[in-house]
Amino acid sequence: MNILNIENITKVYGDKVLFEHVSLGINEGDKIGIVGVNGTGKSTLLKMIAGLTETDTGNIIKNNQADIAYLAQDADFEPGDTVLSYVCRGKISPNPDWNLEAQAKTILKKMHVEDMEACIETLSGGEKKRIAMAKVLLAPAKMLLLDEPTNHLDNGMIVWLEEYLAKYKGCLIMVTHDRYFLDRVVNKIVEIDRGKLYTYDTNYSGFLELKQQRLESEKAGYRKVQSILRTEIEWVKRGAKARSTKQKARLERFEEMQNMREPVENKSVEIQSMASRMGKKSIEINGISKTYGGKNLIKDFTYYTVKNERIGIVGENGCGKTTLLKLILGIEKPDKGSVTIGDTIRIGYFSQMAENMDPNEKVIDSVKDIAEYIKTGSGMVSASQMCERFLFTPEIQYNPIGRLSGGERRRLCLLKVLMTAPNVLVLDEPTNDLDITTLAVFEDYLDSFAGIVIAVSHDRYFLDRIADRILAFEGNGKIVQYEGNYTEYMSKVLEKSMPLQEGITKAANSKNIESCKDTWKNNREKKLKFSYKEQREFDTIDEEIALLEEKIREIEKEMEMAASQYSKLQELTEEKEALEQELELKMERWVYLNDLAEKIARL
């Protein structure tokens, strides 16, 4: 059953055409994910459907029974709002027996909000997002419009919301950058591309394949027209002997083919390495502790960063993840312990919230405040050229920042951070508001970034993609280190908890819980010491890694010289890939052996 129709709408914002005569039908059971580059109009489309923004032309017609609940990117709270008063405000009980306040408390508890009378102004970004979500889900409408619902939520809440929306019976339309979320919740993707809408009846993974097929089909169609056009040009050159109706139609068709534009793929952000040289000493965290309001956020935490490592930091909202970053940055001071930064370390901080930028300042002037020119791998690049690489065209560069979308402002913040040529990137929720295309390019950039990356993120795909070590906040100030990406971390957490749970179950049956816990602890303890083979490996592995890196550099030089010799180039490529695989294995062993050495030293 059709519940909403978008009919031939056009929307222009400033000098940018967001939508040009587009139409879309929405049916019961549709769970739609809207994707597109920042600034293409994703949030605007949601606002038009919600009735908060008007179209320039065309109509949006909805079924009378299609009541709508809308979650904005940033919820609008009034001064003095408490949790319960905000969630209940404006809600009407569907029947006399329905207790609105009781239902509100139930949904808030599911969202892990315990203090119903807390003043919202005092809460964290993640807590505010959960409260706004609770208001939308309370007595849910038949159509949910969600703009970046996963922003600021911790991983546990994202999984809960994912499961809730997967079971939700109504219609769902959402904008999100979370690729796992899109894969598991939606059954339709709507892509916004240069003012047009493209619909794909699939989830995100299927969309990637179908989009590629669409682009290839468009290119094939264009090539076919160009082939026909060459024949038509010859016919026109010969000249028609008579101006018959048939010949006039042929000439008109010729004109149409001449005016056909070649399919254009969306440009993506171009990021080149701009890191500064790093010395031997990087960041040393020595026994730090931090308490807020009587709550232990961080307790006796020690960590020494290693060159080029990629650290992902996870934990529940309010556990202290951002506080840890601020302690590293020197914004906050620890209650106990110290953080020492090496002399050559240059930190680039991409904060959770967009920096306070003057809305009247021009984009190009904001970038020039950092540097007029920056040195990259391809030479000196001007501020204007860097803007273009980040998809800010010359026209947009001279627009005031206030006219940028939320995602475009985040992209501008990222550009300014990278313009400082840091060798340590500290990222606090870096995926918030960035479009998927920009995220993919940023992830590729981090692969080749010559420095350390420390990222707090709720985005499971991002952490799977970039992290090789996870620091997990596990309550009462305890931070535990896990090797691998997010998925590997979760599997280790499950492995760690399953033996304990099995032990507790057996103990309950035998009424000997304490004894069973001790058994489990004894079984998991391992004697920490190097074997003879490990000691020899530990003593030589640094030299072996250096030798492999040197061999790879030599092959790369040979490849440059053999660029025109296909067979030789193929041989060198295969040799390089084999060495890189060997290097990757060596690096994994290096991490393991150094961690073991560090643990042994603490005993």
Side-chain angles (χ1 to χ4, degrees):
M1 177 182 169
N2 180 265
I3 58 175
L4 188 140
N5 273 325
I6 296 171
E7 298 181 347
N8 201 33
I9 67 166
T10 296
K11 183 68 178 178
V12 179
Y13 182 70
D15 55 357
K16 180 188 286 188
V17 178
L18 296 180
F19 303 102
E20 188 173 16
H21 304 298
V22 299
S23 299
L24 177 68
I26 298 169
N27 302 311
E28 279 188 350
D30 280 349
K31 292 183 177 178
I32 299 171
I34 301 174
V35 300
V37 177
N38 288 140
T40 53
K42 300 187 296 293
S43 294
T44 301
L45 181 59
L46 283 190
K47 288 176 183 176
M48 288 192 293
I49 294 172
L52 301 176
T53 298
E54 293 186 355
T55 65
D56 293 340
T57 63
N59 298 295
I60 296 178
I61 303 168
K62 68 171 184 172
N63 186 314
N64 290 333
Q65 297 179 343
D67 51 324
I68 292 174
Y70 170 65
L71 176 74
Q73 273 191 47
D74 299 303
D76 187 17
F77 301 106
E78 293 181 5
D81 266 343
T82 64
V83 172
L84 196 59
S85 68
Y86 169 79
V87 171
C88 292
R89 188 169 61 238
K91 290 287 184 181
I92 301 172
S93 299
N95 63 66
D97 299 324
W98 196 70
N99 187 321
L100 180 63
E101 189 170 304
Q103 290 296 320
K105 289 180 178 179
T106 299
I107 195 74
L108 282 165
K109 284 181 179 178
K110 286 182 180 178
M111 304 291 286
H112 298 173
V113 178
E114 298 297 333
D115 189 353
M116 308 293 172
E117 299 303 323
C119 182
I120 293 178
E121 293 171 339
T122 65
L123 302 180
S124 69
E127 289 168 322
K128 289 177 181 177
K129 192 74 174 187
R130 277 183 275 154
I131 292 161
M133 182 66 70
K135 183 178 179 68
V136 169
L137 299 183
L138 180 62
K142 291 190 176 179
M143 179 180 286
L144 292 181
L145 306 179
L146 309 179
D147 197 351
E148 299 288 7
T150 64
N151 276 7
H152 307 296
L153 294 184
D154 60 51
N155 300 84
M157 279 312 310
I158 290 173
V159 172
W160 180 89
L161 183 61
E162 192 176 86
E163 292 171 352
Y164 179 93
L165 294 177
K167 296 173 184 175
Y168 174 64
K169 300 298 182 184
C171 178
L172 168 68
I173 307 174
M174 67 176 176
V175 173
T176 182
H177 60 264
D178 191 317
R179 287 152 284 188
Y180 284 163
F181 201 81
L182 283 170
D183 247 4
R184 294 164 186 171
V185 174
V186 309
N187 55 28
K188 184 178 288 187
I189 297 287
V190 172
E191 179 191 18
I192 305 175
D193 185 4
R194 294 186 298 278
K196 298 186 181 299
L197 299 182
Y198 297 92
T199 303
Y200 307 83
D201 292 320
T202 181
N203 61 7
Y204 182 72
S205 295
F207 151 71
L208 292 176
E209 295 178 13
L210 293 175
K211 179 181 178 178
Q212 188 60 35
Q213 291 174 19
R214 173 176 73 81
L215 293 173
E216 288 173 359
S217 177
E218 287 177 356
K219 288 176 182 177
Y222 179 76
R223 287 194 298 269
K224 185 177 180 180
V225 167
Q226 294 304 300
S227 179
I228 295 170
L229 191 56
R230 283 192 289 272
T231 304
E232 294 296 287
I233 288 171
E234 292 301 319
W235 177 80
V236 171
K237 283 180 178 178
R238 289 199 299 271
K241 294 180 180 178
R243 294 297 177 188
S244 66
T245 302
K246 188 174 181 179
Q247 288 168 327
K248 286 179 182 177
R250 189 169 178 178
L251 283 168
E252 288 172 2
R253 188 169 67 249
F254 168 72
E255 293 293 336
E256 287 176 8
M257 286 189 289
Q258 263 197 324
N259 293 330
M260 183 177 179
R261 294 181 180 179
E262 184 176 2
V264 179
E265 291 188 49
N266 275 329
K267 289 184 177 179
S268 60
V269 175
E270 296 178 37
I271 310 178
Q272 288 190 334
S273 180
M274 295 171 275
S276 304
R277 186 190 66 82
M278 182 187 297
K280 290 184 178 180
K281 187 176 180 180
S282 52
I283 299 173
E284 297 179 356
I285 303 170
N286 293 290
I288 63 170
S289 295
K290 188 68 178 178
T291 301
Y292 270 121
K295 181 180 179 182
N296 283 330
L297 296 181
I298 300 166
K299 186 176 180 181
D300 296 325
F301 178 59
T302 296
Y303 191 87
Y304 299 148
T305 58
V306 178
K307 189 175 181 180
N308 294 336
E309 71 176 326
R310 305 291 190 261
I311 303 168
I313 302 175
V314 300
E316 294 182 355
N317 287 136
C319 68
K321 302 186 298 295
T322 297
T323 299
L324 177 58
L325 297 189
K326 288 181 177 178
L327 290 169
I328 293 171
L329 294 163
I331 297 172
E332 300 269 0
K333 298 295 181 185
D335 299 334
K336 188 180 78 172
S338 64
V339 178
T340 307
I341 308 296
D343 293 336
T344 61
I345 294 301
R346 294 181 65 175
I347 297 177
Y349 178 41
F350 190 39
S351 67
Q352 187 172 149
M353 308 300 291
E355 67 175 76
N356 245 344
M357 293 186 285
D358 181 356
N360 298 313
E361 186 178 26
K362 293 176 182 176
V363 172
I364 185 66
D365 292 336
S366 179
V367 176
K368 284 182 176 179
D369 287 344
I370 305 297
E372 292 272 357
Y373 289 88
I374 188 74
K375 187 177 182 180
T376 71
S378 59
M380 298 299 290
V381 178
S382 70
S384 179
Q385 288 170 322
M386 286 301 300
C387 282
E388 288 198 57
R389 291 182 180 187
F390 274 68
L391 306 186
F392 296 112
T393 63
E395 296 78 19
I396 296 176
Q397 289 176 31
Y398 287 90
N399 282 344
I401 292 171
R403 287 177 61 179
L404 299 179
S405 70
E408 286 174 318
R409 283 196 292 273
R410 284 285 282 170
R411 198 194 309 146
L412 178 59
C413 288
L414 177 59
L415 167 58
K416 292 177 70 174
V417 168
L418 297 182
M419 285 280 285
T420 63
N423 49 30
V424 174
L425 279 173
V426 175
L427 312 173
D428 193 0
E429 301 289 10
T431 65
N432 283 0
D433 300 322
L434 287 180
D435 62 76
I436 292 172
T437 304
T438 302
L439 278 176
V441 176
F442 186 39
E443 288 157 0
D444 287 341
Y445 167 79
L446 293 178
D447 285 343
S448 60
F449 175 67
I452 297 166
V453 178
I454 304 172
V456 168
S457 181
H458 63 265
D459 190 318
R460 296 158 294 175
Y461 186 99
F462 181 79
L463 290 174
D464 272 349
R465 181 72 173 75
I466 69 107
D468 53 31
R469 180 170 295 170
I470 297 292
L471 298 180
F473 280 71
E474 296 191 348
N476 198 31
K478 184 180 180 183
I479 303 174
V480 180
Q481 177 181 315
Y482 295 86
E483 296 306 313
N485 61 18
Y486 180 79
T487 297
E488 291 168 317
Y489 149 71
M490 285 303 298
S491 67
K492 288 170 186 173
V493 168
L494 290 171
E495 285 174 11
K496 192 166 71 171
S497 63
M498 282 175 67
L500 176 60
Q501 188 58 48
E502 289 169 4
I504 290 172
T505 302
K506 288 177 182 176
N509 292 336
S510 63
K511 298 182 180 181
N512 192 10
I513 293 176
E514 291 305 317
S515 174
C516 189
K517 282 183 180 178
D518 291 339
T519 301
W520 175 76
K521 287 178 182 177
N522 292 333
N523 287 340
R524 75 186 181 117
E525 285 178 2
K526 293 181 179 179
K527 194 173 182 181
L528 285 178
K529 69 172 187 176
F530 276 133
S531 67
Y532 175 74
K533 184 180 177 182
E534 284 174 334
Q535 184 65 58
R536 288 192 62 187
E537 189 180 4
F538 180 67
D539 292 339
T540 61
I541 196 165
D542 284 317
E543 293 175 9
E544 291 171 1
I545 287 171
L547 185 61
L548 283 169
E549 289 174 334
E550 181 60 31
K551 284 182 179 178
I552 290 170
R553 283 193 291 270
E554 288 173 1
I555 289 176
E556 286 174 344
K557 290 177 183 177
E558 287 186 59
M559 288 172 72
E560 289 177 9
M561 297 176 65
S564 60
Q565 303 172 40
Y566 177 77
S567 59
K568 179 67 174 174
L569 190 61
Q570 184 71 19
E571 181 185 325
L572 290 169
T573 300
E574 290 173 2
E575 188 178 348
K576 183 188 173 190
E577 288 174 354
L579 287 170
E580 285 175 338
Q581 287 178 4
E582 187 180 350
L583 178 61
E584 187 175 348
L585 291 172
K586 285 287 183 188
M587 290 303 295
E588 288 175 2
R589 288 295 294 169
W590 183 92
V591 169
Y592 166 76
L593 292 168
N594 276 272
D595 284 345
L596 184 55
E598 189 176 324
K599 289 173 183 174
I600 292 169
R602 290 176 187 168
L603 293 177

